[in-house]
Amino acid sequence: MRDLIKAELLRFRGWALGAFAVHLLVLLFFTRLVDLAQQPIFVYRVFGGVDVLAGVLLGLYQMGSYRRPNVWLNLLHRPLAPGRIATALLGAGLVWLAVAVALPVLLAAAYQAGLTARVVDLRHWLLPLAAWSLAACGYLAGACCMLGRPRSAVAALVLLLVPVASQASGAWALLMQVFALAWLAAMAVASFKPDLSAPPRSLGATVLLALPLQMAVYVAIIVVVQVGAQVIWMVQGTHPNNTDTPPRGGQNETERMTPQQRMLAGLAASTAPEAPLWREQVALSDVVAIAPDLDEVPVRGALTNAAPVDFDDPARGVRWTFSHDRMRLSGYRIAGGRAVGTLGVGDANAAFPAPAVATRGLPGQPKEDRSLLAGNMLYHYVSETGRVFPRIRLPDGEWLLATAPVGENLVALSNRALYFFDGRDVVASENLLRPRQRMPIPGGPGGLHNLELIELVDGYLVSNAYTNYDYTMAGAAPYQTVTWVHDDGRVTLAARRPIAFDYPAWFRYQSWWPSPALYALRQGVTGLFAAPDPMQVANPEPRPRAILWLAGALMLVASLAALWLVRLRPLSLLGKVAWVVACGAIGLPALASLWLLYPAHEPAPRTRLEPAAA
């Protein structure tokens, strides 16, 4: 086994060392241009995609070169168990991936930490391990594609979606990558057998190979339904998103309205005696739209950046970067890169309660000043003094998402409520602002698509349109509310307008009815070790009865088809019963995996009986 590992290492040493040199040069080149550790999540995904692609190509090439019958026979014709041979070959590939993928990232991080004033936190030291695990997942998936049956082995690629779809962050995200890596390694060892086309025989091997195959079929069904339906609608000219005139009273019509039209549509459903006067005021007023400054809330220790973590102060010539380790801003000169120290909150230089994200300054503040969103707090960065002061404190458990001026006042949006502040207090002092009114948001922030308001003589009129994700089962039933916020703090619901779905139920629930069991598994895996994201709360509606009947009918069809199919497959009685039960519980994806994993019986050759000679 040791000689086999050495031979495999020598076989790929040239390619691996060349990849190491190219990778290191690319990272050092970009490090001279930008701060690679603080890039947006898109850049991380590009680098991760390249790592996965490199691993897939290596796995395909290595195992593809051994798959030829004569080479495969020569490889296995030695006094070693197939599992030990697989461990030797795959181990050599994983070692070279560590050299070519992880080591350059580690050296680039060491360079940035040792020779620059840029921020390198503990989370950045985990990136080499994350890069290696992604490349290793791609490598093992490529190897599985070459080792299994041609029509089913490609299903191993579905496990590459686990790191992409997982909502875990930081070290927990790394743990999810390790989970996918361990499953792929077990699949590769289970597929490494003398007869590569033979179906799995043990229960463990069957589960290892069948579950990814079923999930791959499940994903394929969703893609076919989604893409096929939309292509047909586009050809017919009936796609809700591409028609000149959207469906009346639906989600698209509401989203295409101007803010004034949307408020007037909401007021049309109002029975309040003030509604005619409000409609006149809406037509004459400037409607203010407020949208969250964050797509998702930043999490301390996350491997990637959900929002920009640095900002420039051109007046002082300093770039401030938020450090997750110190929970403070760390600064360095834009020209020259010399460190200028750390910056916390107030005179005590205290730590921020959550990762801070810089946004535009508040009304009346100098243009060089910035606002910093950090959990339930908003801070004011004063460029002239280089100090940070708290200005808004919301109740614990809320996330401050955005601020916007409305007339002479200030409005702050959180994941639970809308707060109104006196704009004169913003410039009068640096004290904490006290809200004058608070309006609870009627639905989950994940479903909120449009929030607009106007200032009245005696308060505010606020419109909330919940149309986000209404094309999927994750979205709430669309509706619009118009709320009157009185000057004295009272809140009155003025109107509630139901909005029609633009997409039929079978399209919205396309990820559920093909297999409720695999949908639950998918949701469980993607949410494993993940902290709840307040931006994703949408309060979805219960599933329609017709969708429940559709899912049940498909599971019944799958179990009946499996009952007929197992008669033609070389399975034991217990195996046949298990597959019928699995097809009834999982549905069509399990039936497809049964058909793909187990070939039908070959008909036995008919022998002609000759009379024996006496």
Side-chain angles (χ1 to χ4, degrees):
M1 182 175 175
R2 186 179 302 173
D3 294 337
L4 194 57
I5 295 177
K6 288 181 180 178
E8 203 68 6
L9 290 175
L10 291 174
R11 180 187 176 198
F12 289 105
R13 68 180 185 280
W15 285 101
L17 295 177
F20 162 79
V22 172
H23 192 187
L24 182 60
L25 288 175
V26 169
L27 290 179
L28 292 179
F29 173 75
F30 282 110
T31 302
R32 295 290 297 174
L33 300 179
V34 296
D35 186 352
L36 275 181
Q38 314 303 337
Q39 293 303 298
I41 191 170
F42 173 76
V43 176
Y44 287 93
R45 286 175 176 168
V46 170
F47 276 94
V50 173
D51 293 338
V52 171
L53 180 61
V56 170
L57 294 177
L58 176 60
L60 289 174
Y61 175 76
Q62 184 188 26
M63 292 302 160
S65 62
Y66 286 118
R67 187 183 169 85
R68 288 173 295 176
N70 56 335
V71 180
W72 188 252
L73 183 63
N74 183 55
L75 176 67
L76 297 187
H77 191 67
R78 60 190 68 203
L80 277 177
R84 292 172 63 85
I85 298 175
T87 303
L89 298 182
L90 298 175
L94 293 176
V95 168
W96 280 131
L97 283 177
V99 173
V101 175
L103 187 56
V105 181
L106 182 63
L107 293 176
Y111 161 77
Q112 185 152 316
L115 301 178
T116 70
R118 295 170 177 170
V119 172
V120 178
D121 290 331
L122 174 61
R123 62 191 185 117
H124 298 125
W125 293 108
L126 297 177
L127 290 177
L129 185 56
W132 175 81
S133 65
L134 288 175
C137 286
Y139 167 65
L140 293 174
C144 290
C145 289
M146 296 305 298
L147 291 176
R149 293 171 60 85
R151 61 180 185 178
S152 62
V154 71
L157 296 175
V158 78
L159 286 168
L160 299 179
L161 298 178
V162 172
V164 178
S166 174
Q167 299 173 2
S169 59
W172 295 114
L174 203 56
L175 187 61
M176 293 303 297
Q177 294 180 14
V178 172
F179 165 74
L181 179 63
W183 193 290
L184 284 165
M187 281 185 66
V189 173
S191 302
F192 203 93
K193 51 186 180 296
D195 184 4
L196 294 177
S197 62
R201 295 181 179 177
S202 67
L203 176 61
T206 302
V207 173
L208 283 172
L209 299 179
L211 194 55
L213 180 56
Q214 293 168 9
M215 188 58 77
V217 174
Y218 166 77
V219 173
I221 292 175
I222 294 176
V223 172
V224 169
V225 170
Q226 187 172 82
V227 175
Q230 298 200 59
V231 168
I232 292 174
W233 288 336
M234 287 180 183
V235 172
Q236 293 176 337
T238 58
H239 195 293
N241 291 351
N242 294 284
T243 54
D244 294 334
T245 304
R248 187 174 178 79
Q251 163 205 345
N252 272 278
E253 183 191 59
T254 302
E255 293 180 356
R256 293 189 201 182
M257 291 178 179
T258 64
Q260 282 183 328
Q261 291 172 338
R262 202 159 26 244
M263 290 199 75
L264 291 174
L267 287 173
S270 175
T271 58
E274 298 86 354
L277 177 61
W278 288 338
R279 284 193 285 269
E280 293 179 5
Q281 290 184 313
V282 169
L284 298 174
S285 303
D286 291 331
V287 180
V288 178
I290 302 176
D293 290 329
L294 306 174
D295 294 330
E296 55 182 306
V297 296
V299 179
R300 184 181 184 184
L303 295 178
T304 58
N305 300 314
V309 295
D310 56 5
F311 67 94
D312 291 347
D313 182 352
R316 302 172 69 90
V318 175
R319 175 166 297 159
W320 294 103
T321 305
F322 188 81
S323 169
H324 285 227
D325 287 355
R326 305 183 185 97
M327 293 302 285
R328 294 175 177 82
L329 296 167
S330 181
Y332 63 89
R333 295 287 176 190
I334 298 176
R338 184 169 57 85
V340 298
T342 60
L343 179 62
V345 180
D347 297 334
N349 201 32
F352 288 86
V357 177
T359 64
R360 59 189 177 279
L362 297 179
Q365 295 176 346
K367 64 179 182 180
E368 295 84 5
D369 291 7
R370 305 295 291 268
S371 294
L372 302 173
L373 301 177
N376 63 332
M377 299 290 297
L378 182 136
Y379 297 93
H380 176 203
Y381 167 74
V382 184
S383 173
E384 183 179 2
T385 60
R387 305 276 297 279
V388 174
F389 300 97
R391 298 309 311 273
I392 295 177
R393 182 197 301 274
L394 301 184
D396 293 339
E398 292 194 29
W399 281 88
L400 183 55
L401 303 178
T403 59
V406 179
E408 297 180 350
N409 298 320
L410 179 70
V411 176
L413 172 66
S414 81
N415 61 320
R416 296 179 183 172
L418 200 62
Y419 294 86
F420 300 84
F421 299 88
D422 191 334
R424 293 170 297 184
D425 297 338
V426 174
V427 294
S429 69
E430 289 293 346
N431 298 327
L432 274 175
L433 302 177
R434 293 184 176 277
R436 295 170 55 187
Q437 295 105 346
R438 180 181 187 272
M439 189 205 83
I441 293 178
L448 182 61
H449 191 273
N450 297 100
L451 191 155
E452 291 111 3
L453 60 94
I454 64 168
E455 192 173 11
L456 303 174
V457 177
D458 51 355
Y460 299 91
L461 200 62
V462 183
S463 166
N464 297 280
Y466 288 87
T467 57
N468 257 0
Y469 309 121
D470 289 339
Y471 54 91
T472 71
M473 62 180 293
Y479 66 96
Q480 180 186 5
T481 62
V482 180
T483 307
W484 179 17
V485 182
H486 299 257
D487 256 347
D488 57 6
R490 289 180 293 127
V491 176
T492 303
L493 180 64
R496 180 184 174 92
R497 180 175 73 99
I499 300 174
F501 286 107
D502 283 346
Y503 293 90
W506 62 266
F507 184 83
R508 301 197 310 271
Y509 290 86
Q510 60 188 270
S511 60
W512 188 81
W513 55 259
S515 176
L518 291 182
Y519 173 81
L521 177 63
R522 189 190 79 173
Q523 293 298 101
V525 171
T526 55
L528 194 62
F529 306 128
D533 186 353
M535 299 293 293
Q536 301 300 321
V537 178
N539 303 327
E541 65 167 1
R543 298 179 186 91
R545 188 182 299 272
I547 297 301
L548 299 178
W549 279 107
L550 175 60
L554 291 177
M555 288 191 289
L556 178 61
V557 170
S559 61
L560 294 177
L563 196 59
W564 172 80
L565 196 61
V566 294
R567 295 169 51 248
L568 310 174
R569 295 300 187 264
L571 292 166
S572 64
L573 178 61
L574 184 60
K576 293 179 180 180
V577 173
W579 270 107
V580 172
V581 172
C583 291
I586 298 175
L588 295 179
L591 179 66
S593 67
L594 170 63
W595 180 70
L596 291 170
L597 280 179
Y598 294 93
H601 275 305
E602 293 183 1
R606 293 185 177 181
T607 57
R608 184 178 179 180
L609 300 178
E610 297 290 343

